[in-house]
Amino acid sequence: MPALPAFCHRPRDLSRGAVLTLAFLAAVGTAGTMGCWDREDAAAAALSGRTGATAPEAPRAAGTADREAVARAAAEAVAEGKSGKKAAQEVVSRSGDRWGTVYDQGEYAAFTEGLDGHWTGVGLWALRGGDGRITVDKVQPAGPAARAGLRAGDRLLSVDGHAVTGLAVADVISLLRGEAGTPVVLNLSRDGADLTETVRREQLRTEPVTVRQLSGGITVIKVASFTRGSGERVRAAVRAAPPGAGVMLDLRGNPGGLVAEAVTAASAFLDGGLVATYDVRGDQRALYAEPGGDTARPLVALVDGGTMSAAELVTGALQDRGRAVAVGSRTFGKGSVQMPTELPDGSVAELTVGTYRTPGGRSLDGSGITPDLAAGEGVEERAAQVLGGLGVGP
């Protein structure tokens, strides 16, 4: 990780959270799950000998924020008794860095907590449209928002009286967070009618990997997000699947998560080899699968517009390596790399520093992955047909 500016100090909290981030998601749950590397993972990659040649420091690309300028603005604001976070966010906003954002200490702590698959919130996922509108993307079953009757597609207008239109998703998440048991007032719009719901925050958890069986011995492995431990759960599910039977790796609606977990999941189906390459300000690096994965079992990856970031990394690797047939609809298209810098007031700026590519050299940022077979309704049935054509299934 490049040295921080002289007036910044290396954050203690970063050892618990993200050090290199692939995706600050456009659609993200109040869990704050995002595509990132742990400090330990990044250090291991740097020492693994698997990095490419280091290129000269690349010019900062358009639409990215300058790290030094952000830190300088925060330092000046703190010296004047103002909010370092607010000053930093203004610089990030002016830079055009679409994925850049600034967390305060509490928000960043919540971010790292979400990487463990648990958080305090109301159990909804928010999506910011191109016009700045915030809508409910999905609702956690049996969570506080679901019990209050919130639905996917509801437009979120305000949280505790704070208008949210135009806010970054991270700022909306921070408004939804709070202590368990405390109320939060949500003003929404549904089918042209305004609604107001008071919801109490709770300690929530998600199950990142679930497994079920279809007829013909097909195993469906649903990966909701790549939180800690999810990669090994995928590997265990593959080992437990009936011998020779096909697998559907369901990555629909997966907003990303820890890249190390995504690489482990990809390793379940690969025997070593390249998973992805990425650059950080011109420093070219690579991610490799672990050896010993199941390379013979027929495999289909289910994807849609909610497949993002680390989930796209897995899909791209399996598709480029000829290991899986991708079925569904075009993925979201998030392939840029973010890295955090702690600011003088303890807030953390996540700034775009580079991009990643699939083993075939494809950049997915803005374009996503086109599935091998397009399918909308009945995607599992189409996937079963594909597996049948590969010699498994009914």
Side-chain angles (χ1 to χ4, degrees):
M1 178 174 175
L4 300 178
F7 46 81
C8 292
H9 59 284
R10 190 175 299 275
R12 289 174 295 178
D13 286 349
L14 291 190
S15 63
R16 299 171 46 239
V19 168
L20 189 60
T21 306
L22 276 180
F24 186 87
L25 304 178
V28 61
T30 53
T33 306
M34 305 167 191
C36 59
W37 275 278
D38 275 349
R39 172 185 291 276
E40 293 82 1
D41 300 328
L47 295 173
S48 67
R50 292 173 171 173
T51 59
T54 300
E57 180 76 10
R60 183 168 57 89
T64 62
D66 181 81
R67 181 183 54 175
E68 285 73 19
V70 171
R72 187 180 308 112
E76 292 172 354
V78 170
E80 295 172 2
K82 301 177 182 178
S83 168
K85 176 193 173 183
K86 183 177 180 180
Q89 188 62 65
E90 289 174 354
V91 174
V92 173
S93 298
R94 291 196 301 268
S95 73
D97 188 338
R98 181 184 178 191
W99 306 105
T101 194
V102 183
Y103 300 96
D104 63 27
Q105 289 177 311
E107 292 164 354
Y108 197 75
F111 170 89
T112 61
E113 182 184 43
L115 296 176
D116 288 320
H118 59 82
W119 72 99
T120 301
V122 299
L124 66 79
W125 280 254
L127 177 68
R128 185 180 188 273
D131 57 1
R133 293 188 178 190
I134 303 295
T135 58
V136 176
D137 184 51
K138 59 181 179 178
V139 179
Q140 183 174 5
R147 294 198 301 272
L150 272 68
R151 309 173 188 168
D154 287 348
R155 182 185 172 191
L156 186 59
L157 303 175
S158 67
V159 178
D160 281 338
H162 299 279
V164 298
T165 300
L167 293 184
V169 172
D171 293 328
V172 177
I173 290 172
S174 69
L175 292 173
L176 292 168
R177 289 197 180 270
E179 294 183 9
T182 59
V184 57
V185 180
L186 308 180
N187 181 239
L188 309 108
S189 176
R190 179 188 300 162
D191 299 327
D194 287 349
L195 305 170
T196 300
E197 298 289 347
T198 299
V199 183
R200 290 194 176 272
R201 302 175 175 96
E202 293 180 6
Q203 287 283 339
L204 301 170
R205 291 193 64 89
T206 58
E207 181 56 55
V209 179
T210 54
V211 181
R212 56 190 173 90
Q213 301 293 326
L214 300 182
S215 61
I218 295 173
T219 298
V220 180
I221 304 174
K222 170 69 175 177
V223 187
S225 61
F226 287 107
T227 52
R228 290 188 179 94
S230 57
E232 188 52 47
R233 292 188 186 188
V234 172
R235 287 161 63 105
V238 173
R239 289 192 294 266
V247 166
M248 293 184 195
L249 182 64
D250 190 351
L251 300 174
R252 291 174 296 173
N254 184 321
L258 291 165
V259 171
E261 298 295 341
V263 172
T264 299
S267 298
F269 306 100
L270 299 170
D271 186 15
L274 188 63
V275 173
T277 59
Y278 65 100
D279 66 274
V280 178
R281 298 190 179 96
D283 182 13
Q284 306 298 317
R285 306 179 185 183
L287 298 166
Y288 290 86
E290 299 173 26
D294 187 331
T295 61
R297 186 186 299 276
L299 175 65
V300 168
L302 306 183
V303 297
D304 64 7
T307 305
M308 306 180 183
S309 178
E312 291 177 289
L313 182 149
V314 172
T315 306
L318 297 176
Q319 191 181 49
D320 280 9
R321 298 277 303 272
R323 184 61 190 90
V325 176
V327 178
S329 54
R330 184 185 295 273
T331 63
F332 182 80
K334 180 65 185 71
S336 61
V337 178
Q338 281 73 48
M339 182 177 288
T341 296
E342 189 183 28
L343 304 177
D345 62 349
S347 56
V348 177
E350 287 269 357
L351 308 176
T352 300
V353 295
T355 58
Y356 76 89
R357 294 180 179 273
T358 68
R362 291 182 293 166
S363 173
L364 306 180
D365 205 34
S367 58
I369 293 174
T370 301
D372 300 297
L373 177 64
E377 296 294 328
V379 63
E380 286 193 7
E381 289 78 5
R382 297 298 301 276
Q385 293 173 0
V386 171
L387 289 173
L390 296 174
V392 300

